[in-house]
Amino acid sequence: MKKFYTILAVMLLSVLGLSAQSHKKNVEVCSDKDYILGEYFIQDDDGESKVRAYAMPDGTIRFQTFGAKPAYDKNGNLMLDKNNPVPELRELPLHEAVIISGLRYNAEKKQWDGGKIHHPLIKALKANATVDFVDDGKTVRVRGTVAGIGASRYWKKLK
């Protein structure tokens, strides 16, 4: 069982990456539902992509990729999100995958939490997500945790 949790932790860390950057938390914009909505830029070892945050009818926030690379496999076929835990999302192209769903604002903790992270290339990953703003609201810190082990990734908010 210990080996299982170690593998999950390594997968999470590779998905989210680690950042040694120092960021100042910005609580004022964190609670503004309209502020979390919009587009973000992600750059990591796998390349660059953008995600869009939008509100769902149930009041939660969802992050969905657009324009992420790679979109096609080595044979030129469009890659689909076959590992998505939600069956109706499995036919979405990989570059349109829903990667965070279910975020709600937690006023007590002054952050968005309760979300679930989905990584399209790792079927077994079931991480919890928290999101808060740093650097005067110009950056969002996305934190994922699996079995108590977590990592953060910083996304730049686009205008």
Side-chain angles (χ1 to χ4, degrees):
M1 190 64 141
K2 185 176 178 182
K3 184 176 181 181
F4 173 75
Y5 286 121
T6 302
I7 291 170
L8 278 178
V10 169
M11 287 178 9
L12 175 66
L13 294 175
S14 68
V15 169
L16 293 177
L18 290 176
S19 176
Q21 299 175 9
S22 174
H23 293 276
K24 179 183 170 195
K25 191 168 182 178
N26 186 305
V27 176
E28 292 78 28
V29 298
C30 188
S31 63
D32 186 350
K33 185 174 183 176
D34 290 332
Y35 195 85
I36 196 172
L37 303 179
E39 298 177 354
Y40 299 85
F41 176 75
I42 304 169
Q43 185 171 14
D44 58 22
D45 295 340
D46 296 328
E48 298 176 352
S49 61
K50 294 178 184 176
V51 295
R52 183 174 291 120
Y54 56 95
M56 299 301 294
D58 66 358
T60 62
I61 302 298
R62 175 184 277 184
F63 286 84
Q64 183 172 9
T65 61
F66 66 97
K69 297 177 184 176
Y72 297 91
D73 64 18
K74 62 183 177 183
N75 298 322
N77 299 316
L78 184 64
M79 296 189 322
L80 300 178
D81 189 8
K82 294 291 185 186
N83 293 326
N84 199 301
V86 180
E88 55 268 18
L89 297 178
R90 291 180 187 152
E91 295 304 314
L92 275 178
L94 200 60
H95 66 277
E96 296 177 15
V98 174
I99 59 172
I100 298 178
S101 60
L103 281 176
R104 289 190 184 277
Y105 186 69
N106 182 329
E108 187 176 307
K109 294 181 180 178
K110 295 184 170 45
Q111 67 185 14
W112 294 84
D113 64 15
K116 298 294 180 197
I117 294 176
H118 162 64
H119 190 286
L121 300 176
I122 302 176
K123 187 175 186 175
L125 179 66
K126 292 183 181 175
N128 296 318
T130 60
V131 172
D132 56 15
F133 289 91
V134 295
D135 295 343
D136 295 325
K138 298 174 189 168
T139 303
V140 61
R141 178 181 70 119
V142 178
R143 180 158 178 80
T145 56
V146 172
I149 299 172
S152 295
R153 161 92 30 96
Y154 295 91
W155 299 350
K156 293 290 182 191
K157 186 160 178 52
L158 301 174
K159 294 184 180 189

PDB file of all heavy atoms in Angstrom, residues 1-2 8 11 13 16 28 31 34 36 39 43 45 65 69 76 91 101 109 121 127 136-137 145-146 148 157:
ATOM      1  N   MET A   1       0.816  -1.186   0.000  1.00  0.00           N
ATOM      2  CA  MET A   1       0.000   0.000   0.000  1.00  0.00           C
ATOM      3  C   MET A   1       0.868   1.262   0.000  1.00  0.00           C
ATOM      4  O   MET A   1       0.537   2.239  -0.635  1.00  0.00           O
ATOM      5  CB  MET A   1      -0.928  -0.028   1.208  1.00  0.00           C
ATOM      6  CG  MET A   1      -1.977   1.040   1.160  1.00  0.00           C
ATOM      7  SD  MET A   1      -3.068   0.774  -0.240  1.00  0.00           S
ATOM      8  CE  MET A   1      -4.593   1.211   0.444  1.00  0.00           C
ATOM      9  N   LYS A   2       1.986   1.210   0.725  1.00  0.00           N
ATOM     10  CA  LYS A   2       2.889   2.352   0.774  1.00  0.00           C
ATOM     11  C   LYS A   2       3.427   2.653  -0.632  1.00  0.00           C
ATOM     12  O   LYS A   2       3.542   3.809  -1.016  1.00  0.00           O
ATOM     13  CB  LYS A   2       4.031   2.068   1.743  1.00  0.00           C
ATOM     14  CG  LYS A   2       4.959   3.239   1.945  1.00  0.00           C
ATOM     15  CD  LYS A   2       6.008   2.918   2.983  1.00  0.00           C
ATOM     16  CE  LYS A   2       6.961   4.081   3.149  1.00  0.00           C
ATOM     17  NZ  LYS A   2       8.000   3.797   4.108  1.00  0.00           N
ATOM     18  N   LEU A   8       1.391   7.360  -6.505  1.00  0.00           N
ATOM     19  CA  LEU A   8       0.419   8.446  -6.673  1.00  0.00           C
ATOM     20  C   LEU A   8       1.049   9.804  -6.421  1.00  0.00           C
ATOM     21  O   LEU A   8       0.808  10.761  -7.149  1.00  0.00           O
ATOM     22  CB  LEU A   8      -0.759   8.247  -5.726  1.00  0.00           C
ATOM     23  CG  LEU A   8      -1.845   7.296  -6.182  1.00  0.00           C
ATOM     24  CD1 LEU A   8      -2.917   7.178  -5.101  1.00  0.00           C
ATOM     25  CD2 LEU A   8      -2.458   7.726  -7.477  1.00  0.00           C
ATOM     26  N   MET A  11       3.234  10.771  -9.319  1.00  0.00           N
ATOM     27  CA  MET A  11       2.408  11.174 -10.463  1.00  0.00           C
ATOM     28  C   MET A  11       1.877  12.581 -10.259  1.00  0.00           C
ATOM     29  O   MET A  11       1.914  13.407 -11.175  1.00  0.00           O
ATOM     30  CB  MET A  11       1.254  10.189 -10.652  1.00  0.00           C
ATOM     31  CG  MET A  11       1.689   8.869 -11.214  1.00  0.00           C
ATOM     32  SD  MET A  11       0.424   7.576 -11.427  1.00  0.00           S
ATOM     33  CE  MET A  11      -1.107   8.330 -11.144  1.00  0.00           C
ATOM     34  N   LEU A  13       3.095  15.006  -8.384  1.00  0.00           N
ATOM     35  CA  LEU A  13       4.180  15.974  -8.485  1.00  0.00           C
ATOM     36  C   LEU A  13       4.607  16.197  -9.923  1.00  0.00           C
ATOM     37  O   LEU A  13       4.916  17.301 -10.326  1.00  0.00           O
ATOM     38  CB  LEU A  13       5.357  15.545  -7.622  1.00  0.00           C
ATOM     39  CG  LEU A  13       5.074  15.545  -6.113  1.00  0.00           C
ATOM     40  CD1 LEU A  13       6.265  14.988  -5.353  1.00  0.00           C
ATOM     41  CD2 LEU A  13       4.710  16.928  -5.626  1.00  0.00           C
ATOM     42  N   LEU A  16       1.631  18.332 -11.559  1.00  0.00           N
ATOM     43  CA  LEU A  16       1.540  19.708 -11.109  1.00  0.00           C
ATOM     44  C   LEU A  16       2.872  20.438 -11.128  1.00  0.00           C
ATOM     45  O   LEU A  16       2.920  21.644 -11.249  1.00  0.00           O
ATOM     46  CB  LEU A  16       0.955  19.774  -9.703  1.00  0.00           C
ATOM     47  CG  LEU A  16      -0.495  19.343  -9.599  1.00  0.00           C
ATOM     48  CD1 LEU A  16      -0.945  19.389  -8.154  1.00  0.00           C
ATOM     49  CD2 LEU A  16      -1.377  20.224 -10.446  1.00  0.00           C
ATOM     50  N   GLU A  28      -8.116  39.666  -1.439  1.00  0.00           N
ATOM     51  CA  GLU A  28      -9.198  40.534  -1.880  1.00  0.00           C
ATOM     52  C   GLU A  28      -9.889  40.019  -3.140  1.00  0.00           C
ATOM     53  O   GLU A  28     -11.097  40.059  -3.248  1.00  0.00           O
ATOM     54  CB  GLU A  28      -8.690  41.965  -2.122  1.00  0.00           C
ATOM     55  CG  GLU A  28      -8.266  42.693  -0.857  1.00  0.00           C
ATOM     56  CD  GLU A  28      -6.895  42.268  -0.359  1.00  0.00           C
ATOM     57  OE1 GLU A  28      -6.040  41.858  -1.164  1.00  0.00           O
ATOM     58  OE2 GLU A  28      -6.673  42.324   0.860  1.00  0.00           O
ATOM     59  N   SER A  31     -12.191  35.960  -3.458  1.00  0.00           N
ATOM     60  CA  SER A  31     -13.599  35.647  -3.266  1.00  0.00           C
ATOM     61  C   SER A  31     -14.487  36.131  -4.406  1.00  0.00           C
ATOM     62  O   SER A  31     -15.651  35.764  -4.473  1.00  0.00           O
ATOM     63  CB  SER A  31     -14.089  36.265  -1.958  1.00  0.00           C
ATOM     64  OG  SER A  31     -13.997  37.669  -2.021  1.00  0.00           O
ATOM     65  N   ASP A  34     -16.517  36.614 -10.256  1.00  0.00           N
ATOM     66  CA  ASP A  34     -16.264  37.110 -11.607  1.00  0.00           C
ATOM     67  C   ASP A  34     -14.772  37.185 -11.905  1.00  0.00           C
ATOM     68  O   ASP A  34     -14.359  37.070 -13.047  1.00  0.00           O
ATOM     69  CB  ASP A  34     -16.899  38.488 -11.802  1.00  0.00           C
ATOM     70  CG  ASP A  34     -18.415  38.413 -11.840  1.00  0.00           C
ATOM     71  OD1 ASP A  34     -18.945  37.348 -12.239  1.00  0.00           O
ATOM     72  OD2 ASP A  34     -19.071  39.396 -11.462  1.00  0.00           O
ATOM     73  N   ILE A  36     -12.331  35.087 -10.849  1.00  0.00           N
ATOM     74  CA  ILE A  36     -11.722  33.783 -11.130  1.00  0.00           C
ATOM     75  C   ILE A  36     -12.035  33.341 -12.559  1.00  0.00           C
ATOM     76  O   ILE A  36     -11.276  32.593 -13.164  1.00  0.00           O
ATOM     77  CB  ILE A  36     -12.140  32.709 -10.103  1.00  0.00           C
ATOM     78  CG1 ILE A  36     -11.192  31.497 -10.192  1.00  0.00           C
ATOM     79  CG2 ILE A  36     -13.578  32.309 -10.270  1.00  0.00           C
ATOM     80  CD1 ILE A  36     -11.390  30.463  -9.103  1.00  0.00           C
ATOM     81  N   GLU A  39      -9.303  33.458 -18.581  1.00  0.00           N
ATOM     82  CA  GLU A  39      -8.298  32.591 -19.200  1.00  0.00           C
ATOM     83  C   GLU A  39      -6.959  32.720 -18.490  1.00  0.00           C
ATOM     84  O   GLU A  39      -6.597  33.786 -18.003  1.00  0.00           O
ATOM     85  CB  GLU A  39      -8.162  32.942 -20.679  1.00  0.00           C
ATOM     86  CG  GLU A  39      -9.456  32.700 -21.433  1.00  0.00           C
ATOM     87  CD  GLU A  39      -9.397  33.111 -22.886  1.00  0.00           C
ATOM     88  OE1 GLU A  39      -8.378  33.699 -23.337  1.00  0.00           O
ATOM     89  OE2 GLU A  39     -10.380  32.854 -23.595  1.00  0.00           O
ATOM     90  N   GLN A  43       2.689  27.176 -18.471  1.00  0.00           N
ATOM     91  CA  GLN A  43       3.911  26.732 -19.130  1.00  0.00           C
ATOM     92  C   GLN A  43       4.597  25.737 -18.209  1.00  0.00           C
ATOM     93  O   GLN A  43       4.794  26.007 -17.022  1.00  0.00           O
ATOM     94  CB  GLN A  43       4.841  27.903 -19.418  1.00  0.00           C
ATOM     95  CG  GLN A  43       6.065  27.497 -20.208  1.00  0.00           C
ATOM     96  CD  GLN A  43       6.861  28.712 -20.673  1.00  0.00           C
ATOM     97  OE1 GLN A  43       6.658  29.820 -20.213  1.00  0.00           O
ATOM     98  NE2 GLN A  43       7.742  28.486 -21.599  1.00  0.00           N
ATOM     99  N   ASP A  45       7.052  21.660 -18.374  1.00  0.00           N
ATOM    100  CA  ASP A  45       7.990  20.840 -19.145  1.00  0.00           C
ATOM    101  C   ASP A  45       7.360  20.213 -20.377  1.00  0.00           C
ATOM    102  O   ASP A  45       8.044  19.892 -21.343  1.00  0.00           O
ATOM    103  CB  ASP A  45       8.573  19.727 -18.261  1.00  0.00           C
ATOM    104  CG  ASP A  45       9.429  20.283 -17.143  1.00  0.00           C
ATOM    105  OD1 ASP A  45       9.880  21.453 -17.262  1.00  0.00           O
ATOM    106  OD2 ASP A  45       9.639  19.581 -16.150  1.00  0.00           O
ATOM    107  N   THR A  65      -9.154  23.155 -20.772  1.00  0.00           N
ATOM    108  CA  THR A  65      -8.055  23.557 -21.642  1.00  0.00           C
ATOM    109  C   THR A  65      -8.586  23.951 -23.011  1.00  0.00           C
ATOM    110  O   THR A  65      -9.659  23.531 -23.426  1.00  0.00           O
ATOM    111  CB  THR A  65      -7.023  22.428 -21.824  1.00  0.00           C
ATOM    112  OG1 THR A  65      -7.658  21.307 -22.425  1.00  0.00           O
ATOM    113  CG2 THR A  65      -6.397  22.032 -20.508  1.00  0.00           C
ATOM    114  N   LYS A  69      -1.172  21.552 -26.327  1.00  0.00           N
ATOM    115  CA  LYS A  69      -0.404  20.672 -27.203  1.00  0.00           C
ATOM    116  C   LYS A  69       0.171  19.551 -26.378  1.00  0.00           C
ATOM    117  O   LYS A  69       0.550  19.767 -25.236  1.00  0.00           O
ATOM    118  CB  LYS A  69       0.702  21.464 -27.887  1.00  0.00           C
ATOM    119  CG  LYS A  69       0.165  22.546 -28.787  1.00  0.00           C
ATOM    120  CD  LYS A  69       1.288  23.352 -29.393  1.00  0.00           C
ATOM    121  CE  LYS A  69       0.715  24.491 -30.215  1.00  0.00           C
ATOM    122  NZ  LYS A  69       1.733  25.353 -30.753  1.00  0.00           N
ATOM    123  N   GLY A  76      -1.043  11.361 -36.359  1.00  0.00           N
ATOM    124  CA  GLY A  76      -1.866  12.461 -36.844  1.00  0.00           C
ATOM    125  C   GLY A  76      -3.328  12.375 -36.438  1.00  0.00           C
ATOM    126  O   GLY A  76      -4.146  13.152 -36.917  1.00  0.00           O
ATOM    127  N   GLU A  91     -15.301  11.873 -25.019  1.00  0.00           N
ATOM    128  CA  GLU A  91     -15.194  12.123 -26.458  1.00  0.00           C
ATOM    129  C   GLU A  91     -14.672  13.520 -26.775  1.00  0.00           C
ATOM    130  O   GLU A  91     -14.520  13.870 -27.934  1.00  0.00           O
ATOM    131  CB  GLU A  91     -16.549  11.884 -27.144  1.00  0.00           C
ATOM    132  CG  GLU A  91     -17.003  10.436 -27.063  1.00  0.00           C
ATOM    133  CD  GLU A  91     -15.982   9.442 -27.633  1.00  0.00           C
ATOM    134  OE1 GLU A  91     -15.450   9.690 -28.727  1.00  0.00           O
ATOM    135  OE2 GLU A  91     -15.706   8.427 -26.967  1.00  0.00           O
ATOM    136  N   SER A 101     -12.722  20.555 -11.883  1.00  0.00           N
ATOM    137  CA  SER A 101     -14.166  20.777 -11.789  1.00  0.00           C
ATOM    138  C   SER A 101     -14.578  20.814 -10.321  1.00  0.00           C
ATOM    139  O   SER A 101     -13.871  20.332  -9.442  1.00  0.00           O
ATOM    140  CB  SER A 101     -14.922  19.662 -12.524  1.00  0.00           C
ATOM    141  OG  SER A 101     -14.612  18.407 -11.954  1.00  0.00           O
ATOM    142  N   LYS A 109     -11.613  29.599   4.638  1.00  0.00           N
ATOM    143  CA  LYS A 109     -10.210  29.427   4.246  1.00  0.00           C
ATOM    144  C   LYS A 109      -9.737  30.503   3.275  1.00  0.00           C
ATOM    145  O   LYS A 109      -8.555  30.562   2.939  1.00  0.00           O
ATOM    146  CB  LYS A 109     -10.018  28.055   3.596  1.00  0.00           C
ATOM    147  CG  LYS A 109     -10.232  26.900   4.548  1.00  0.00           C
ATOM    148  CD  LYS A 109      -9.997  25.592   3.831  1.00  0.00           C
ATOM    149  CE  LYS A 109     -10.196  24.393   4.732  1.00  0.00           C
ATOM    150  NZ  LYS A 109     -10.002  23.124   3.997  1.00  0.00           N
ATOM    151  N   LEU A 121      -3.894  12.289 -19.286  1.00  0.00           N
ATOM    152  CA  LEU A 121      -2.962  11.224 -19.634  1.00  0.00           C
ATOM    153  C   LEU A 121      -2.718  10.241 -18.497  1.00  0.00           C
ATOM    154  O   LEU A 121      -2.042   9.246 -18.684  1.00  0.00           O
ATOM    155  CB  LEU A 121      -1.634  11.824 -20.100  1.00  0.00           C
ATOM    156  CG  LEU A 121      -1.738  12.735 -21.322  1.00  0.00           C
ATOM    157  CD1 LEU A 121      -0.392  13.349 -21.651  1.00  0.00           C
ATOM    158  CD2 LEU A 121      -2.299  11.988 -22.519  1.00  0.00           C
ATOM    159  N   ALA A 127      -6.993  13.709  -7.763  1.00  0.00           N
ATOM    160  CA  ALA A 127      -6.457  14.687  -6.823  1.00  0.00           C
ATOM    161  C   ALA A 127      -7.518  15.727  -6.482  1.00  0.00           C
ATOM    162  O   ALA A 127      -8.390  16.034  -7.293  1.00  0.00           O
ATOM    163  CB  ALA A 127      -5.240  15.377  -7.425  1.00  0.00           C
ATOM    164  N   ASP A 136      -0.981  40.053  -6.441  1.00  0.00           N
ATOM    165  CA  ASP A 136      -2.002  41.060  -6.740  1.00  0.00           C
ATOM    166  C   ASP A 136      -3.022  40.569  -7.764  1.00  0.00           C
ATOM    167  O   ASP A 136      -3.510  41.329  -8.589  1.00  0.00           O
ATOM    168  CB  ASP A 136      -1.359  42.366  -7.207  1.00  0.00           C
ATOM    169  CG  ASP A 136      -0.537  43.016  -6.101  1.00  0.00           C
ATOM    170  OD1 ASP A 136      -0.947  42.912  -4.931  1.00  0.00           O
ATOM    171  OD2 ASP A 136       0.502  43.610  -6.406  1.00  0.00           O
ATOM    172  N   GLY A 137      -3.332  39.293  -7.734  1.00  0.00           N
ATOM    173  CA  GLY A 137      -4.363  38.733  -8.599  1.00  0.00           C
ATOM    174  C   GLY A 137      -3.911  38.423 -10.007  1.00  0.00           C
ATOM    175  O   GLY A 137      -4.709  38.009 -10.834  1.00  0.00           O
ATOM    176  N   THR A 145      -3.692  17.751  -4.228  1.00  0.00           N
ATOM    177  CA  THR A 145      -3.240  16.839  -3.184  1.00  0.00           C
ATOM    178  C   THR A 145      -3.797  15.442  -3.422  1.00  0.00           C
ATOM    179  O   THR A 145      -4.928  15.273  -3.851  1.00  0.00           O
ATOM    180  CB  THR A 145      -3.680  17.297  -1.774  1.00  0.00           C
ATOM    181  OG1 THR A 145      -5.092  17.441  -1.753  1.00  0.00           O
ATOM    182  CG2 THR A 145      -3.030  18.601  -1.388  1.00  0.00           C
ATOM    183  N   VAL A 146      -2.943  14.462  -3.172  1.00  0.00           N
ATOM    184  CA  VAL A 146      -3.308  13.050  -3.227  1.00  0.00           C
ATOM    185  C   VAL A 146      -2.741  12.421  -1.966  1.00  0.00           C
ATOM    186  O   VAL A 146      -1.551  12.536  -1.688  1.00  0.00           O
ATOM    187  CB  VAL A 146      -2.720  12.346  -4.464  1.00  0.00           C
ATOM    188  CG1 VAL A 146      -2.961  10.848  -4.389  1.00  0.00           C
ATOM    189  CG2 VAL A 146      -3.302  12.908  -5.751  1.00  0.00           C
ATOM    190  N   GLY A 148      -2.729  13.246   1.033  1.00  0.00           N
ATOM    191  CA  GLY A 148      -2.044  14.172   1.919  1.00  0.00           C
ATOM    192  C   GLY A 148      -0.773  14.784   1.370  1.00  0.00           C
ATOM    193  O   GLY A 148      -0.158  15.625   2.004  1.00  0.00           O
ATOM    194  N   LYS A 157      -2.773  34.783 -15.148  1.00  0.00           N
ATOM    195  CA  LYS A 157      -4.094  35.222 -15.620  1.00  0.00           C
ATOM    196  C   LYS A 157      -3.903  36.094 -16.848  1.00  0.00           C
ATOM    197  O   LYS A 157      -3.078  37.000 -16.860  1.00  0.00           O
ATOM    198  CB  LYS A 157      -4.829  35.962 -14.522  1.00  0.00           C
ATOM    199  CG  LYS A 157      -6.264  36.323 -14.894  1.00  0.00           C
ATOM    200  CD  LYS A 157      -7.076  36.588 -13.661  1.00  0.00           C
ATOM    201  CE  LYS A 157      -8.494  36.992 -13.919  1.00  0.00           C
ATOM    202  NZ  LYS A 157      -9.278  36.174 -14.781  1.00  0.00           N
TER     203      LYS A 157
END
